[in-house]
Amino acid sequence: MLDTITTTLTREQIVVAYTEMLSPDRVLTDEQTLKENSVDRYYKVENVFGTYSLPLPAAVVKPVSKEEVAKILVFANEHRINVVPKTGGSATEGGLETVVENSIVVDGSLMNQILEINTTDMLATVQCGVGLEQLEDELRKIGFTTGHSPQSKPLAQFGGLVATRSIGQFSTLYGGIEDMLVGVETVFPNGEICRIKNVPRRAAGPDIRHLVLGNEGALNYITEVSVKIFRHYPQNNKFYGYLLDDINTGIEILRQVVTAGYRPSVARLYDQEDGLYHFKHFSDGRCVLIFVAEGPKGIADATGNAIEEIVATFPRPTASTVL
Ligand SMILES: Cc1cc2nc3c(=O)[nH]c(=O)nc-3n(C[C@H](O)[C@H](O)[C@H](O)COP(=O)(O)OP(=O)(O)OC[C@H]3O[C@@H](n4cnc5c(N)ncnc54)[C@H](O)[C@@H]3O)c2cc1C
């Protein structure tokens, strides 16, 4: 919630106000914490070498409810305090940088309750500080999955996942977070708490979920998220990997698989350089094409067969059907 006008309050006044509002142990002001919260992984080098160059926030405040978030934002709004929302802290785009003097970082990671897993409506509702891996682990125990798998899965939490419009490695089948998000609760700077309802589809008017998706906390603070869940059939997974001499062959195979109507969960092509980086042990300087076919057995088998048939029509791809 960037504002070019800086507050007229002093750091001390800000800290006193938030300490009175929240319990003191949830208003962090020690210097190292403030330093670490002045940057994200875009300036990772500053965290590694301890060379911080941005203004330090006045405090990191840790709400435990949407009502506390509302109070925090109302005070900040009235006093022109810049607010930086945060959950998992894995951002790589500079969204967590405290570029304005005397900002506050509102860290929602204590709002970490899974509120509902509904296997009839195929929905999970979580607070913003629930980790993706935390929800995924619970779902796997009962045979379900979020289908969401960004590389930051062990770190990212649902507030940040929605605010960054995140996408994962299984997106060819499951989509990005914008396809998974069913409803969301947010708090506006004036303290208003707004719930975008869980409905199967928006038939009238604009789809206002998109005001929240990807706004990096610039418009509102996300407190609760409802996402689709899917049945998980790991026993049916089929893995395919191919070494290719040129990238254009890989692009054409991908194109043919997808335009034929198949949806492998993973469909990724690495050029020679990237192949060496990720698959040094076998890529041998060639491009690497990988697929995962998953779902109910009939669908996984049909997808896998189609991949192999399409690949076989190309000259000399070196195929290994199991990675
Ligand atoms: C190793 C690594 C791998 C990654 N891989 C991927 C990947 O595969 N796909 C991908 O999309 N991204 C990836 N990322 C980027 C990042 O992890 C994701 O964008 C993730 O969704 C951020 O979630 P977070 O909880 O860590 O958010 P944070 O880092 O805490 O915040 C990210 C942004 O969202 C805002 N925000 C956070 N919480 C809230 C909230 N409650 N309300 C409003 N705004 C909020 C913040 O202000 C900031 O702008 C990767 C990052 C790392 C470090």
Side-chain angles (χ1 to χ4, degrees), residues 41 84-92 95-96 128 149-152 155-161 163-169 216-217 220-222:
R41 286 155 200 259
V84 178
K86 176 181 180 181
T87 50
S90 69
T92 49
L96 298 179
C128 61
S149 191
Q151 282 167 307
S152 54
L155 303 170
Q157 300 172 0
F158 273 89
L161 289 164
T164 58
R165 196 180 275 271
S166 59
I167 193 160
Q169 321 304 319
E216 299 261 353
N220 39 28
Y221 196 98
I222 298 161

PDB file of all heavy atoms in Angstrom, residues 41 84-92 95-96 128 149-152 155-161 163-169 216-217 220-222, ligand 1:
ATOM      1  N   ARG A  41      13.678 -11.173  -1.395  1.00  0.00           N
ATOM      2  CA  ARG A  41      14.753 -11.925  -2.055  1.00  0.00           C
ATOM      3  C   ARG A  41      15.247 -11.257  -3.340  1.00  0.00           C
ATOM      4  O   ARG A  41      16.211 -11.704  -3.937  1.00  0.00           O
ATOM      5  CB  ARG A  41      14.298 -13.360  -2.301  1.00  0.00           C
ATOM      6  CG  ARG A  41      14.295 -14.114  -0.997  1.00  0.00           C
ATOM      7  CD  ARG A  41      13.340 -15.287  -1.007  1.00  0.00           C
ATOM      8  NE  ARG A  41      13.027 -15.680   0.348  1.00  0.00           N
ATOM      9  CZ  ARG A  41      13.576 -16.718   0.972  1.00  0.00           C
ATOM     10  NH1 ARG A  41      14.447 -17.474   0.361  1.00  0.00           N
ATOM     11  NH2 ARG A  41      13.245 -16.991   2.214  1.00  0.00           N
ATOM     12  N   VAL A  84       3.304  -2.394   4.429  1.00  0.00           N
ATOM     13  CA  VAL A  84       3.785  -3.471   3.563  1.00  0.00           C
ATOM     14  C   VAL A  84       3.216  -4.791   4.081  1.00  0.00           C
ATOM     15  O   VAL A  84       3.645  -5.282   5.122  1.00  0.00           O
ATOM     16  CB  VAL A  84       5.325  -3.536   3.543  1.00  0.00           C
ATOM     17  CG1 VAL A  84       5.799  -4.697   2.669  1.00  0.00           C
ATOM     18  CG2 VAL A  84       5.912  -2.225   3.043  1.00  0.00           C
ATOM     19  N   PRO A  85       2.220  -5.373   3.386  1.00  0.00           N
ATOM     20  CA  PRO A  85       1.709  -6.683   3.805  1.00  0.00           C
ATOM     21  C   PRO A  85       2.741  -7.769   3.564  1.00  0.00           C
ATOM     22  O   PRO A  85       3.532  -7.693   2.616  1.00  0.00           O
ATOM     23  CB  PRO A  85       0.489  -6.906   2.895  1.00  0.00           C
ATOM     24  CG  PRO A  85       0.166  -5.572   2.315  1.00  0.00           C
ATOM     25  CD  PRO A  85       1.469  -4.843   2.235  1.00  0.00           C
ATOM     26  N   LYS A  86       2.725  -8.792   4.418  1.00  0.00           N
ATOM     27  CA  LYS A  86       3.681  -9.896   4.274  1.00  0.00           C
ATOM     28  C   LYS A  86       3.038 -11.178   4.799  1.00  0.00           C
ATOM     29  O   LYS A  86       2.240 -11.139   5.731  1.00  0.00           O
ATOM     30  CB  LYS A  86       4.936  -9.583   5.092  1.00  0.00           C
ATOM     31  CG  LYS A  86       5.962 -10.705   5.101  1.00  0.00           C
ATOM     32  CD  LYS A  86       7.181 -10.337   5.950  1.00  0.00           C
ATOM     33  CE  LYS A  86       8.177 -11.490   5.927  1.00  0.00           C
ATOM     34  NZ  LYS A  86       9.365 -11.219   6.746  1.00  0.00           N
ATOM     35  N   THR A  87       3.385 -12.318   4.164  1.00  0.00           N
ATOM     36  CA  THR A  87       3.025 -13.616   4.779  1.00  0.00           C
ATOM     37  C   THR A  87       4.273 -14.498   4.809  1.00  0.00           C
ATOM     38  O   THR A  87       5.043 -14.438   5.762  1.00  0.00           O
ATOM     39  CB  THR A  87       1.827 -14.306   4.086  1.00  0.00           C
ATOM     40  OG1 THR A  87       2.029 -14.346   2.687  1.00  0.00           O
ATOM     41  CG2 THR A  87       0.526 -13.597   4.406  1.00  0.00           C
ATOM     42  N   GLY A  88       4.539 -15.280   3.757  1.00  0.00           N
ATOM     43  CA  GLY A  88       5.662 -16.231   3.803  1.00  0.00           C
ATOM     44  C   GLY A  88       7.038 -15.616   3.619  1.00  0.00           C
ATOM     45  O   GLY A  88       8.059 -16.237   3.924  1.00  0.00           O
ATOM     46  N   GLY A  89       7.106 -14.407   3.073  1.00  0.00           N
ATOM     47  CA  GLY A  89       8.394 -13.726   2.897  1.00  0.00           C
ATOM     48  C   GLY A  89       9.264 -14.286   1.782  1.00  0.00           C
ATOM     49  O   GLY A  89      10.466 -14.040   1.758  1.00  0.00           O
ATOM     50  N   SER A  90       8.685 -14.993   0.816  1.00  0.00           N
ATOM     51  CA  SER A  90       9.496 -15.577  -0.266  1.00  0.00           C
ATOM     52  C   SER A  90       9.509 -14.707  -1.528  1.00  0.00           C
ATOM     53  O   SER A  90      10.001 -15.132  -2.566  1.00  0.00           O
ATOM     54  CB  SER A  90       8.995 -16.980  -0.608  1.00  0.00           C
ATOM     55  OG  SER A  90       7.736 -16.909  -1.230  1.00  0.00           O
ATOM     56  N   ALA A  91       8.971 -13.485  -1.429  1.00  0.00           N
ATOM     57  CA  ALA A  91       8.849 -12.617  -2.611  1.00  0.00           C
ATOM     58  C   ALA A  91      10.201 -12.391  -3.285  1.00  0.00           C
ATOM     59  O   ALA A  91      11.231 -12.285  -2.617  1.00  0.00           O
ATOM     60  CB  ALA A  91       8.253 -11.269  -2.204  1.00  0.00           C
ATOM     61  N   THR A  92      10.156 -12.304  -4.601  1.00  0.00           N
ATOM     62  CA  THR A  92      11.386 -12.101  -5.373  1.00  0.00           C
ATOM     63  C   THR A  92      11.329 -10.840  -6.226  1.00  0.00           C
ATOM     64  O   THR A  92      12.239 -10.567  -6.991  1.00  0.00           O
ATOM     65  CB  THR A  92      11.606 -13.291  -6.323  1.00  0.00           C
ATOM     66  OG1 THR A  92      10.389 -13.543  -7.019  1.00  0.00           O
ATOM     67  CG2 THR A  92      12.029 -14.540  -5.584  1.00  0.00           C
ATOM     68  N   GLY A  95       8.413  -6.683  -3.669  1.00  0.00           N
ATOM     69  CA  GLY A  95       7.140  -6.281  -3.056  1.00  0.00           C
ATOM     70  C   GLY A  95       7.207  -6.078  -1.562  1.00  0.00           C
ATOM     71  O   GLY A  95       6.337  -5.438  -0.974  1.00  0.00           O
ATOM     72  N   LEU A  96       8.244  -6.595  -0.909  1.00  0.00           N
ATOM     73  CA  LEU A  96       8.350  -6.439   0.554  1.00  0.00           C
ATOM     74  C   LEU A  96       9.305  -5.318   0.953  1.00  0.00           C
ATOM     75  O   LEU A  96       9.569  -5.133   2.140  1.00  0.00           O
ATOM     76  CB  LEU A  96       8.825  -7.758   1.188  1.00  0.00           C
ATOM     77  CG  LEU A  96       7.912  -8.975   1.018  1.00  0.00           C
ATOM     78  CD1 LEU A  96       8.531 -10.204   1.682  1.00  0.00           C
ATOM     79  CD2 LEU A  96       6.541  -8.710   1.612  1.00  0.00           C
ATOM     80  N   CYS A 128      -4.777 -16.357   5.845  1.00  0.00           N
ATOM     81  CA  CYS A 128      -3.713 -15.920   4.926  1.00  0.00           C
ATOM     82  C   CYS A 128      -2.342 -16.489   5.266  1.00  0.00           C
ATOM     83  O   CYS A 128      -1.494 -16.653   4.386  1.00  0.00           O
ATOM     84  CB  CYS A 128      -3.635 -14.400   4.895  1.00  0.00           C
ATOM     85  SG  CYS A 128      -3.239 -13.650   6.496  1.00  0.00           S
ATOM     86  N   SER A 149       1.857 -25.942  -7.137  1.00  0.00           N
ATOM     87  CA  SER A 149       3.206 -26.353  -6.766  1.00  0.00           C
ATOM     88  C   SER A 149       4.274 -25.400  -7.300  1.00  0.00           C
ATOM     89  O   SER A 149       5.144 -25.795  -8.074  1.00  0.00           O
ATOM     90  CB  SER A 149       3.445 -27.777  -7.285  1.00  0.00           C
ATOM     91  OG  SER A 149       4.633 -28.280  -6.736  1.00  0.00           O
ATOM     92  N   PRO A 150       4.231 -24.126  -6.864  1.00  0.00           N
ATOM     93  CA  PRO A 150       5.357 -23.250  -7.201  1.00  0.00           C
ATOM     94  C   PRO A 150       6.603 -23.760  -6.500  1.00  0.00           C
ATOM     95  O   PRO A 150       6.500 -24.485  -5.502  1.00  0.00           O
ATOM     96  CB  PRO A 150       4.913 -21.883  -6.636  1.00  0.00           C
ATOM     97  CG  PRO A 150       3.924 -22.198  -5.577  1.00  0.00           C
ATOM     98  CD  PRO A 150       3.246 -23.473  -5.990  1.00  0.00           C
ATOM     99  N   GLN A 151       7.771 -23.377  -7.016  1.00  0.00           N
ATOM    100  CA  GLN A 151       9.002 -23.860  -6.376  1.00  0.00           C
ATOM    101  C   GLN A 151       9.138 -23.345  -4.947  1.00  0.00           C
ATOM    102  O   GLN A 151       9.887 -23.892  -4.161  1.00  0.00           O
ATOM    103  CB  GLN A 151      10.210 -23.472  -7.222  1.00  0.00           C
ATOM    104  CG  GLN A 151      10.371 -24.388  -8.420  1.00  0.00           C
ATOM    105  CD  GLN A 151      11.347 -23.836  -9.429  1.00  0.00           C
ATOM    106  OE1 GLN A 151      11.215 -22.703  -9.877  1.00  0.00           O
ATOM    107  NE2 GLN A 151      12.326 -24.619  -9.797  1.00  0.00           N
ATOM    108  N   SER A 152       8.422 -22.300  -4.623  1.00  0.00           N
ATOM    109  CA  SER A 152       8.466 -21.743  -3.265  1.00  0.00           C
ATOM    110  C   SER A 152       7.477 -22.426  -2.323  1.00  0.00           C
ATOM    111  O   SER A 152       7.210 -21.914  -1.235  1.00  0.00           O
ATOM    112  CB  SER A 152       8.149 -20.249  -3.320  1.00  0.00           C
ATOM    113  OG  SER A 152       6.923 -20.044  -3.994  1.00  0.00           O
ATOM    114  N   LEU A 155       7.776 -22.415   1.450  1.00  0.00           N
ATOM    115  CA  LEU A 155       7.858 -21.107   2.104  1.00  0.00           C
ATOM    116  C   LEU A 155       6.560 -20.299   1.979  1.00  0.00           C
ATOM    117  O   LEU A 155       6.145 -19.633   2.921  1.00  0.00           O
ATOM    118  CB  LEU A 155       8.980 -20.271   1.463  1.00  0.00           C
ATOM    119  CG  LEU A 155      10.382 -20.865   1.450  1.00  0.00           C
ATOM    120  CD1 LEU A 155      11.300 -20.031   0.560  1.00  0.00           C
ATOM    121  CD2 LEU A 155      10.937 -20.914   2.874  1.00  0.00           C
ATOM    122  N   ALA A 156       5.967 -20.328   0.802  1.00  0.00           N
ATOM    123  CA  ALA A 156       4.874 -19.398   0.486  1.00  0.00           C
ATOM    124  C   ALA A 156       3.604 -19.717   1.271  1.00  0.00           C
ATOM    125  O   ALA A 156       3.305 -20.871   1.555  1.00  0.00           O
ATOM    126  CB  ALA A 156       4.592 -19.443  -1.013  1.00  0.00           C
ATOM    127  N   GLN A 157       2.873 -18.650   1.617  1.00  0.00           N
ATOM    128  CA  GLN A 157       1.608 -18.781   2.348  1.00  0.00           C
ATOM    129  C   GLN A 157       0.492 -18.164   1.503  1.00  0.00           C
ATOM    130  O   GLN A 157       0.756 -17.409   0.552  1.00  0.00           O
ATOM    131  CB  GLN A 157       1.734 -18.090   3.713  1.00  0.00           C
ATOM    132  CG  GLN A 157       2.854 -18.705   4.557  1.00  0.00           C
ATOM    133  CD  GLN A 157       3.157 -17.966   5.839  1.00  0.00           C
ATOM    134  OE1 GLN A 157       2.528 -16.944   6.153  1.00  0.00           O
ATOM    135  NE2 GLN A 157       4.121 -18.455   6.592  1.00  0.00           N
ATOM    136  N   PHE A 158      -0.758 -18.440   1.886  1.00  0.00           N
ATOM    137  CA  PHE A 158      -1.846 -18.140   0.951  1.00  0.00           C
ATOM    138  C   PHE A 158      -2.062 -16.653   0.662  1.00  0.00           C
ATOM    139  O   PHE A 158      -2.436 -16.298  -0.462  1.00  0.00           O
ATOM    140  CB  PHE A 158      -3.142 -18.841   1.377  1.00  0.00           C
ATOM    141  CG  PHE A 158      -3.176 -20.230   0.808  1.00  0.00           C
ATOM    142  CD1 PHE A 158      -2.625 -21.292   1.507  1.00  0.00           C
ATOM    143  CD2 PHE A 158      -3.667 -20.464  -0.459  1.00  0.00           C
ATOM    144  CE1 PHE A 158      -2.592 -22.563   0.963  1.00  0.00           C
ATOM    145  CE2 PHE A 158      -3.640 -21.726  -1.020  1.00  0.00           C
ATOM    146  CZ  PHE A 158      -3.103 -22.779  -0.312  1.00  0.00           C
ATOM    147  N   GLY A 159      -1.800 -15.777   1.627  1.00  0.00           N
ATOM    148  CA  GLY A 159      -1.925 -14.341   1.323  1.00  0.00           C
ATOM    149  C   GLY A 159      -1.015 -13.960   0.172  1.00  0.00           C
ATOM    150  O   GLY A 159      -1.430 -13.354  -0.821  1.00  0.00           O
ATOM    151  N   GLY A 160       0.249 -14.360   0.292  1.00  0.00           N
ATOM    152  CA  GLY A 160       1.233 -14.036  -0.752  1.00  0.00           C
ATOM    153  C   GLY A 160       0.962 -14.765  -2.051  1.00  0.00           C
ATOM    154  O   GLY A 160       1.167 -14.212  -3.135  1.00  0.00           O
ATOM    155  N   LEU A 161       0.501 -16.001  -1.963  1.00  0.00           N
ATOM    156  CA  LEU A 161       0.236 -16.770  -3.195  1.00  0.00           C
ATOM    157  C   LEU A 161      -0.811 -16.065  -4.055  1.00  0.00           C
ATOM    158  O   LEU A 161      -0.694 -16.016  -5.286  1.00  0.00           O
ATOM    159  CB  LEU A 161      -0.246 -18.179  -2.835  1.00  0.00           C
ATOM    160  CG  LEU A 161       0.811 -19.114  -2.252  1.00  0.00           C
ATOM    161  CD1 LEU A 161       0.161 -20.313  -1.578  1.00  0.00           C
ATOM    162  CD2 LEU A 161       1.792 -19.571  -3.331  1.00  0.00           C
ATOM    163  N   ALA A 163      -1.705 -12.736  -3.658  1.00  0.00           N
ATOM    164  CA  ALA A 163      -1.263 -11.359  -3.953  1.00  0.00           C
ATOM    165  C   ALA A 163      -0.243 -11.310  -5.090  1.00  0.00           C
ATOM    166  O   ALA A 163      -0.084 -10.274  -5.740  1.00  0.00           O
ATOM    167  CB  ALA A 163      -0.677 -10.713  -2.695  1.00  0.00           C
ATOM    168  N   THR A 164       0.471 -12.414  -5.315  1.00  0.00           N
ATOM    169  CA  THR A 164       1.486 -12.423  -6.386  1.00  0.00           C
ATOM    170  C   THR A 164       1.004 -13.129  -7.657  1.00  0.00           C
ATOM    171  O   THR A 164       1.779 -13.305  -8.593  1.00  0.00           O
ATOM    172  CB  THR A 164       2.773 -13.143  -5.927  1.00  0.00           C
ATOM    173  OG1 THR A 164       2.420 -14.478  -5.537  1.00  0.00           O
ATOM    174  CG2 THR A 164       3.434 -12.427  -4.776  1.00  0.00           C
ATOM    175  N   ARG A 165      -0.264 -13.569  -7.655  1.00  0.00           N
ATOM    176  CA  ARG A 165      -0.789 -14.318  -8.824  1.00  0.00           C
ATOM    177  C   ARG A 165       0.164 -15.475  -9.170  1.00  0.00           C
ATOM    178  O   ARG A 165       0.638 -15.633 -10.305  1.00  0.00           O
ATOM    179  CB  ARG A 165      -0.927 -13.364 -10.033  1.00  0.00           C
ATOM    180  CG  ARG A 165      -1.790 -13.906 -11.150  1.00  0.00           C
ATOM    181  CD  ARG A 165      -1.858 -12.885 -12.275  1.00  0.00           C
ATOM    182  NE  ARG A 165      -2.889 -11.905 -12.031  1.00  0.00           N
ATOM    183  CZ  ARG A 165      -4.149 -12.034 -12.426  1.00  0.00           C
ATOM    184  NH1 ARG A 165      -4.519 -13.069 -13.125  1.00  0.00           N
ATOM    185  NH2 ARG A 165      -5.041 -11.107 -12.152  1.00  0.00           N
ATOM    186  N   SER A 166       0.431 -16.296  -8.169  1.00  0.00           N
ATOM    187  CA  SER A 166       1.469 -17.319  -8.319  1.00  0.00           C
ATOM    188  C   SER A 166       1.049 -18.451  -9.253  1.00  0.00           C
ATOM    189  O   SER A 166      -0.146 -18.681  -9.474  1.00  0.00           O
ATOM    190  CB  SER A 166       1.800 -17.905  -6.936  1.00  0.00           C
ATOM    191  OG  SER A 166       0.636 -18.468  -6.357  1.00  0.00           O
ATOM    192  N   ILE A 167       2.044 -19.136  -9.758  1.00  0.00           N
ATOM    193  CA  ILE A 167       1.787 -20.270 -10.648  1.00  0.00           C
ATOM    194  C   ILE A 167       2.799 -21.372 -10.359  1.00  0.00           C
ATOM    195  O   ILE A 167       3.929 -21.081  -9.950  1.00  0.00           O
ATOM    196  CB  ILE A 167       1.811 -19.825 -12.127  1.00  0.00           C
ATOM    197  CG1 ILE A 167       1.222 -20.922 -13.034  1.00  0.00           C
ATOM    198  CG2 ILE A 167       3.216 -19.432 -12.567  1.00  0.00           C
ATOM    199  CD1 ILE A 167       0.772 -20.422 -14.385  1.00  0.00           C
ATOM    200  N   GLY A 168       2.371 -22.618 -10.544  1.00  0.00           N
ATOM    201  CA  GLY A 168       3.238 -23.742 -10.170  1.00  0.00           C
ATOM    202  C   GLY A 168       3.599 -24.644 -11.326  1.00  0.00           C
ATOM    203  O   GLY A 168       3.198 -24.416 -12.472  1.00  0.00           O
ATOM    204  N   GLN A 169       4.342 -25.696 -11.006  1.00  0.00           N
ATOM    205  CA  GLN A 169       4.878 -26.593 -12.041  1.00  0.00           C
ATOM    206  C   GLN A 169       3.808 -27.489 -12.655  1.00  0.00           C
ATOM    207  O   GLN A 169       4.029 -28.098 -13.684  1.00  0.00           O
ATOM    208  CB  GLN A 169       5.976 -27.492 -11.457  1.00  0.00           C
ATOM    209  CG  GLN A 169       6.921 -26.832 -10.470  1.00  0.00           C
ATOM    210  CD  GLN A 169       7.599 -25.605 -11.026  1.00  0.00           C
ATOM    211  OE1 GLN A 169       8.002 -25.624 -12.169  1.00  0.00           O
ATOM    212  NE2 GLN A 169       7.710 -24.557 -10.240  1.00  0.00           N
ATOM    213  N   GLU A 216      -0.250  -7.484  -5.169  1.00  0.00           N
ATOM    214  CA  GLU A 216       0.940  -7.368  -4.309  1.00  0.00           C
ATOM    215  C   GLU A 216       0.669  -6.533  -3.063  1.00  0.00           C
ATOM    216  O   GLU A 216       1.547  -5.838  -2.555  1.00  0.00           O
ATOM    217  CB  GLU A 216       2.131  -6.786  -5.091  1.00  0.00           C
ATOM    218  CG  GLU A 216       2.561  -7.632  -6.275  1.00  0.00           C
ATOM    219  CD  GLU A 216       3.769  -8.537  -6.024  1.00  0.00           C
ATOM    220  OE1 GLU A 216       4.392  -8.425  -4.958  1.00  0.00           O
ATOM    221  OE2 GLU A 216       4.058  -9.372  -6.908  1.00  0.00           O
ATOM    222  N   GLY A 217      -0.568  -6.564  -2.580  1.00  0.00           N
ATOM    223  CA  GLY A 217      -0.891  -5.839  -1.354  1.00  0.00           C
ATOM    224  C   GLY A 217      -1.048  -4.343  -1.543  1.00  0.00           C
ATOM    225  O   GLY A 217      -1.099  -3.599  -0.571  1.00  0.00           O
ATOM    226  N   ASN A 220      -5.350  -3.870  -0.869  1.00  0.00           N
ATOM    227  CA  ASN A 220      -6.045  -4.417   0.291  1.00  0.00           C
ATOM    228  C   ASN A 220      -5.219  -5.545   0.917  1.00  0.00           C
ATOM    229  O   ASN A 220      -4.284  -6.043   0.302  1.00  0.00           O
ATOM    230  CB  ASN A 220      -7.444  -4.933  -0.082  1.00  0.00           C
ATOM    231  CG  ASN A 220      -7.445  -5.621  -1.439  1.00  0.00           C
ATOM    232  OD1 ASN A 220      -6.418  -6.166  -1.856  1.00  0.00           O
ATOM    233  ND2 ASN A 220      -8.554  -5.590  -2.131  1.00  0.00           N
ATOM    234  N   TYR A 221      -5.609  -5.897   2.145  1.00  0.00           N
ATOM    235  CA  TYR A 221      -4.885  -6.948   2.872  1.00  0.00           C
ATOM    236  C   TYR A 221      -5.726  -8.223   2.844  1.00  0.00           C
ATOM    237  O   TYR A 221      -6.872  -8.237   3.312  1.00  0.00           O
ATOM    238  CB  TYR A 221      -4.631  -6.504   4.329  1.00  0.00           C
ATOM    239  CG  TYR A 221      -3.583  -7.349   4.999  1.00  0.00           C
ATOM    240  CD1 TYR A 221      -2.279  -6.913   5.080  1.00  0.00           C
ATOM    241  CD2 TYR A 221      -3.898  -8.614   5.522  1.00  0.00           C
ATOM    242  CE1 TYR A 221      -1.285  -7.703   5.659  1.00  0.00           C
ATOM    243  CE2 TYR A 221      -2.917  -9.408   6.095  1.00  0.00           C
ATOM    244  CZ  TYR A 221      -1.622  -8.946   6.167  1.00  0.00           C
ATOM    245  OH  TYR A 221      -0.640  -9.725   6.737  1.00  0.00           O
ATOM    246  N   ILE A 222      -5.160  -9.297   2.319  1.00  0.00           N
ATOM    247  CA  ILE A 222      -5.877 -10.570   2.212  1.00  0.00           C
ATOM    248  C   ILE A 222      -5.825 -11.278   3.564  1.00  0.00           C
ATOM    249  O   ILE A 222      -4.736 -11.471   4.130  1.00  0.00           O
ATOM    250  CB  ILE A 222      -5.220 -11.460   1.135  1.00  0.00           C
ATOM    251  CG1 ILE A 222      -5.300 -10.785  -0.227  1.00  0.00           C
ATOM    252  CG2 ILE A 222      -5.852 -12.849   1.108  1.00  0.00           C
ATOM    253  CD1 ILE A 222      -4.307 -11.344  -1.252  1.00  0.00           C
TER     254      ILE A 222
HETATM  255  C1  LIG B   1      13.049 -20.283  -4.373  1.00  0.00           C
HETATM  256  C2  LIG B   1      11.809 -19.547  -4.861  1.00  0.00           C
HETATM  257  C3  LIG B   1      11.038 -20.147  -5.840  1.00  0.00           C
HETATM  258  C4  LIG B   1       9.883 -19.488  -6.315  1.00  0.00           C
HETATM  259  N1  LIG B   1       9.114 -20.115  -7.248  1.00  0.00           N
HETATM  260  C5  LIG B   1       7.979 -19.531  -7.673  1.00  0.00           C
HETATM  261  C6  LIG B   1       7.141 -20.208  -8.607  1.00  0.00           C
HETATM  262  O1  LIG B   1       7.416 -21.333  -9.039  1.00  0.00           O
HETATM  263  N2  LIG B   1       6.000 -19.572  -8.987  1.00  0.00           N
HETATM  264  C7  LIG B   1       5.660 -18.332  -8.508  1.00  0.00           C
HETATM  265  O2  LIG B   1       4.609 -17.815  -8.885  1.00  0.00           O
HETATM  266  N3  LIG B   1       6.449 -17.667  -7.641  1.00  0.00           N
HETATM  267  C8  LIG B   1       7.583 -18.235  -7.203  1.00  0.00           C
HETATM  268  N4  LIG B   1       8.376 -17.578  -6.287  1.00  0.00           N
HETATM  269  C9  LIG B   1       8.011 -16.224  -5.856  1.00  0.00           C
HETATM  270  C10 LIG B   1       7.185 -16.201  -4.511  1.00  0.00           C
HETATM  271  O3  LIG B   1       7.574 -17.204  -3.673  1.00  0.00           O
HETATM  272  C11 LIG B   1       5.725 -16.392  -4.761  1.00  0.00           C
HETATM  273  O4  LIG B   1       5.309 -15.334  -5.531  1.00  0.00           O
HETATM  274  C12 LIG B   1       4.839 -16.560  -3.501  1.00  0.00           C
HETATM  275  O5  LIG B   1       3.511 -16.622  -3.957  1.00  0.00           O
HETATM  276  C13 LIG B   1       4.925 -15.485  -2.454  1.00  0.00           C
HETATM  277  O6  LIG B   1       4.205 -15.922  -1.300  1.00  0.00           O
HETATM  278  P1  LIG B   1       4.645 -15.456   0.178  1.00  0.00           P
HETATM  279  O7  LIG B   1       3.635 -15.963   1.149  1.00  0.00           O
HETATM  280  O8  LIG B   1       6.044 -15.830   0.445  1.00  0.00           O
HETATM  281  O9  LIG B   1       4.471 -13.891   0.049  1.00  0.00           O
HETATM  282  P2  LIG B   1       5.399 -12.685   0.577  1.00  0.00           P
HETATM  283  O10 LIG B   1       6.797 -12.873   0.112  1.00  0.00           O
HETATM  284  O11 LIG B   1       5.204 -12.491   2.035  1.00  0.00           O
HETATM  285  O12 LIG B   1       4.735 -11.464  -0.195  1.00  0.00           O
HETATM  286  C14 LIG B   1       4.708 -11.437  -1.604  1.00  0.00           C
HETATM  287  C15 LIG B   1       3.909 -10.209  -2.076  1.00  0.00           C
HETATM  288  O13 LIG B   1       2.548 -10.349  -1.692  1.00  0.00           O
HETATM  289  C16 LIG B   1       2.158  -9.296  -0.798  1.00  0.00           C
HETATM  290  N5  LIG B   1       1.382  -9.932   0.279  1.00  0.00           N
HETATM  291  C17 LIG B   1       1.814 -10.922   1.125  1.00  0.00           C
HETATM  292  N6  LIG B   1       0.838 -11.262   1.972  1.00  0.00           N
HETATM  293  C18 LIG B   1      -0.230 -10.487   1.690  1.00  0.00           C
HETATM  294  C19 LIG B   1      -1.538 -10.353   2.236  1.00  0.00           C
HETATM  295  N7  LIG B   1      -1.949 -11.113   3.274  1.00  0.00           N
HETATM  296  N8  LIG B   1      -2.387  -9.448   1.698  1.00  0.00           N
HETATM  297  C20 LIG B   1      -1.987  -8.672   0.645  1.00  0.00           C
HETATM  298  N9  LIG B   1      -0.752  -8.731   0.089  1.00  0.00           N
HETATM  299  C21 LIG B   1       0.106  -9.637   0.602  1.00  0.00           C
HETATM  300  C22 LIG B   1       3.449  -8.685  -0.297  1.00  0.00           C
HETATM  301  O14 LIG B   1       3.307  -7.315   0.038  1.00  0.00           O
HETATM  302  C23 LIG B   1       4.391  -8.886  -1.490  1.00  0.00           C
HETATM  303  O15 LIG B   1       4.180  -7.873  -2.436  1.00  0.00           O
HETATM  304  C24 LIG B   1       9.530 -18.203  -5.804  1.00  0.00           C
HETATM  305  C25 LIG B   1      10.325 -17.623  -4.804  1.00  0.00           C
HETATM  306  C26 LIG B   1      11.443 -18.281  -4.331  1.00  0.00           C
HETATM  307  C27 LIG B   1      12.273 -17.642  -3.259  1.00  0.00           C
END
